[in-house]
Amino acid sequence: MASLNVGSLGEYIREQRRNAQYSLRQLADAAGVSNPYLSQIERGLRKPSAEILQQIAKALRISAESLYVQAGILDERDRDGLEVHHAILTDPTINERQKQVLLQIYDSFRKENGVVDGAAAPGGAGGVDPGTRDHQPREAADPVAEPDDAAAEPAEPAEPAGAPVARAAAKTAKKVVRRVAGRGVRASRATGDAADDAPGGAAEDASQATGDASRTPAEDAGGDAAPEAAPA
Amino acid sequence: MASLNVGSLGEYIREQRRNAQYSLRQLADAAGVSNPYLSQIERGLRKPSAEILQQIAKALRISAESLYVQAGILDERDRDGLEVHHAILTDPTINERQKQVLLQIYDSFRKENGVVDGAAAPGGAGGVDPGTRDHQPREAADPVAEPDDAAAEPAEPAEPAGAPVARAAAKTAKKVVRRVAGRGVRASRATGDAADDAPGGAAEDASQATGDASRTPAEDAGGDAAPEAAPA
DNA sequence: CACCGCTGCTAACTATTGCAAGCGGATTGC
DNA sequence: GCAATCCGCTTGCAATAGTTAGCAGCGGTG
C-alpha cells in the first residue's frame, strides 16, 4: 500500500463523478460496486483493485489508465519516449515501414528538443542478488522509489501552422522522410533486414539495447555490485 | 475475478522466471513477496494485486505492463490507434506542432491501410442508466466483455528502405508534411488556434469527437436507448 | 404535517490477499 | 551414510477488500 496515494485517487474519482453529474449511488450502480464501498474509496479509506478501477472507469466513460496512474498502478512518466515507441511498434493498423518512418520522425523530434535517446529498458534496474542469504525477504522491493520531483514542464503553447516552429518540425520530418525513402536498396530484393537499412543512429542504439538485454536478471544479480532493493 | 485469466498469468510468470534462471525462492526474495505466495500465483491459485505484479516485474526486469496485460488489468488490443494517439499527445518530449505532424502522418498511414478513423472515446460505451431501478447492482459491469477472437494478424514482414511500400510510406509522410508546413498563416500572428489551422480531416474529426464528449455520461445514460452493462 | 425517494454514511459481515511456520523430497558436501 | 541446504509446496492465520443491512438528513409532494 505504500506506493499508492489513495487519497488522491479518491478525490480524483469523486471529481470525475461530479463532472459526470452522477450521484454516489448512480455511479456505484453503473460500475457494479456497492455504494458504501465507493464512498470509502472516494474518502480514501479503501484501496480498490484494478478490476474495481476498470469498472469505475467504464462507468465514468474515462480511460482505466487514468485511474491506474492515480492509483500508482501505472507510472505516467514511464510513458515518456518508451510508451510512444511501444505503442507504435505494437500497433497492428500500420505496416512495418510506416512504423519505422514514424519512429524516426519521432526520434528526430526528440533530438531537436534535446531529449537524449535510449529510453530506459522495461523494468529498470531492480531486484536483489538472490544468492545473498542475509537478504530480508520481508522488505518489499519498492516498485518505483522516486523522489518527489517538480511537475513535468508544461507543454509549449500551440502554434499556428506555418510558424517558424511548425516549419522546423516539418523540415525535420521531411529530412527523415527523404532519408528513409532515399536509401539505395534495389527493389528486386524481396527480403532484407530493415534494421540494416535503417539510418545508423536508432538501429545501432536498438541493437546495443538488445545486447544488454541478453543477460538474464540472475546473471546481472550475480555481479560484484549487485543492486539492493530500495528500503521499504 | 471473472475478467482475469489467472492461470495464464501464473504460467507467464513461471516462464519468465525460468527464462531469467531464478528459483522460486530467489525470485520471491528479489520481488519481496513470500515464496509460498509466489508459488500459489504461478500455479494460478491466487490473484495478485497490481502492487505485487509491479514487484515481480521489477525483479524479473520486465515491464509491469506485460504482466498487467496477462492479468487483464490492461487490454493490449485497446492500444490500437487510441494508444498511439494518447501516447503521442501526452509525451512531454516533443512540442505541440511535432505532435500534430506525427499524428497526421500516423492517421494517413492508417487510412492507407484501410483503417477507419475515429478511435473510440476513452472508456467506450459503458455503464448503465443509473436512473433505472431495476438494474441489479450486484451484476458487475464487465470491463471488456469481448469474444475470444482469433489472434491479431501478424505484422507484415519488414521491407528494405526504397522498396515500393517504403517509398509509398515516405510519399504519404511527405504529403502530410507538405500540407502542414504549407498552410498560409502569417508568422506575425503570435497566437492562433492550431486546430483551426490544421488540415480539415483530423481537426474536424477531432472537434466532432470533442463535441460528443461534452455530454456527460449521466446525460448519455438518460437517453432513450441507454446502453446496458454486458452480462456478467 | 406526513410521506416518499434519494443522498452519503456506519457497522458488521464475508471473501480474498499475502504471510509465517513448517513439511517432504532432492541435491550437495563431508 | 549422514547432515546441511535448497527446492516447491501445504496449512493456518491476520489483514484487507468488498458487500449487506440499516441509519440520519434533506428536499419534494400531496
Side-chain angles (χ1 to χ4, degrees):
Chain A
M1 264 188 214
S3 68
L4 296 183
N5 189 344
V6 181
S8 165
L9 171 66
E11 290 163 6
Y12 182 77
I13 290 177
R14 182 162 284 193
E15 180 189 346
Q16 298 301 309
R17 172 171 69 80
R18 286 176 170 157
N19 289 343
Q21 294 177 12
Y22 272 145
S23 70
L24 189 107
R25 284 171 186 261
Q26 287 174 327
L27 177 57
D29 285 347
V33 302
S34 66
N35 79 78
Y37 186 50
L38 182 58
S39 172
Q40 286 178 313
I41 294 171
E42 288 188 354
R43 288 181 286 124
L45 302 181
R46 294 289 200 197
K47 183 180 78 69
S49 67
E51 285 67 48
I52 298 291
L53 292 179
Q54 275 186 347
Q55 293 168 228
I56 291 172
K58 187 171 183 179
L60 283 170
R61 315 278 178 97
I62 64 178
S63 71
E65 285 82 359
S66 61
L67 293 186
Y68 292 162
V69 168
Q70 290 291 324
I73 294 173
L74 287 177
D75 188 338
E76 194 157 24
R77 296 192 295 114
D78 283 344
R79 293 184 184 278
D80 178 0
L82 185 61
E83 188 64 23
V84 171
H85 272 261
H86 178 75
I88 291 175
L89 287 175
T90 55
D91 191 310
T93 62
I94 55 178
N95 63 39
E96 292 306 310
R97 290 312 307 169
Q98 290 167 335
K99 290 174 181 177
Q100 292 303 319
V101 170
L102 261 182
L103 284 174
Q104 287 181 20
I105 296 172
Y106 173 68
D107 288 334
S108 296
F109 285 163
R110 275 158 61 85
K111 274 171 178 165
E112 277 186 18
N113 300 341
V115 176
V116 175
D117 255 358
V128 297
D129 184 356
T132 304
R133 299 296 301 178
D134 49 32
H135 170 67
Q136 297 296 323
R138 301 308 303 118
E139 293 176 89
D142 203 65
V144 182
E146 283 145 35
D148 200 352
D149 281 342
E153 291 188 33
E156 293 183 30
E159 296 181 26
V165 177
R167 263 204 282 274
K171 196 172 184 177
T172 300
K174 271 183 177 178
K175 205 187 293 179
V176 171
V177 163
R178 198 179 302 126
R179 197 162 58 201
V180 172
R183 292 296 280 263
V185 177
R186 288 182 298 156
S188 62
R189 290 181 64 180
T191 59
D193 189 341
D196 289 342
D197 298 323
E204 283 167 359
D205 286 344
S207 68
Q208 280 170 344
T210 300
D212 285 343
S214 68
R215 296 186 68 197
T216 62
E219 287 167 355
D220 284 343
D224 293 340
E228 292 181 27
Chain B
M1 261 187 218
S3 68
L4 297 184
N5 188 345
V6 182
S8 164
L9 170 66
E11 290 162 5
Y12 182 78
I13 291 177
R14 181 161 286 194
E15 179 190 345
Q16 297 302 308
R17 172 172 68 80
R18 285 175 170 158
N19 288 343
Q21 293 176 14
Y22 272 146
S23 69
L24 187 109
R25 285 171 185 252
Q26 286 174 328
L27 177 56
D29 284 347
V33 302
S34 68
N35 79 76
Y37 188 48
L38 182 58
S39 173
Q40 285 177 314
I41 293 170
E42 289 190 353
R43 288 181 286 123
L45 301 182
R46 295 289 202 199
K47 184 179 75 71
S49 67
E51 285 68 46
I52 298 292
L53 292 179
Q54 276 185 346
Q55 291 169 229
I56 292 172
K58 188 172 182 180
L60 286 170
R61 316 279 179 99
I62 63 177
S63 73
E65 285 81 0
S66 61
L67 293 187
Y68 292 162
V69 167
Q70 291 291 324
I73 294 173
L74 288 177
D75 188 335
E76 196 156 23
R77 294 194 294 113
D78 283 343
R79 295 180 182 278
D80 179 1
L82 183 62
E83 188 63 26
V84 172
H85 272 260
H86 178 77
I88 290 176
L89 286 175
T90 55
D91 190 310
T93 62
I94 54 178
N95 65 37
E96 292 306 310
R97 291 311 311 166
Q98 290 167 335
K99 289 175 183 178
Q100 293 302 320
V101 170
L102 261 183
L103 283 176
Q104 288 183 21
I105 296 172
Y106 171 68
D107 287 336
S108 296
F109 285 163
R110 277 158 60 85
K111 276 175 177 163
E112 279 186 13
N113 299 340
V115 175
V116 175
D117 251 0
V128 298
D129 183 357
T132 303
R133 298 299 300 181
D134 48 34
H135 169 67
Q136 296 298 321
R138 301 309 302 117
E139 294 174 88
D142 203 64
V144 183
E146 285 145 35
D148 199 352
D149 282 341
E153 291 187 32
E156 294 183 30
E159 296 181 26
V165 176
R167 261 203 284 273
K171 196 172 183 176
T172 299
K174 270 183 176 178
K175 205 186 293 180
V176 171
V177 163
R178 201 179 301 126
R179 200 161 56 199
V180 172
R183 291 295 281 265
V185 177
R186 288 184 295 157
S188 62
R189 291 180 63 179
T191 59
D193 190 339
D196 289 342
D197 298 322
E204 284 167 359
D205 288 343
S207 68
Q208 281 171 341
T210 300
D212 287 342
S214 69
R215 297 187 66 196
T216 60
E219 288 168 354
D220 284 341
D224 294 338
E228 293 182 27

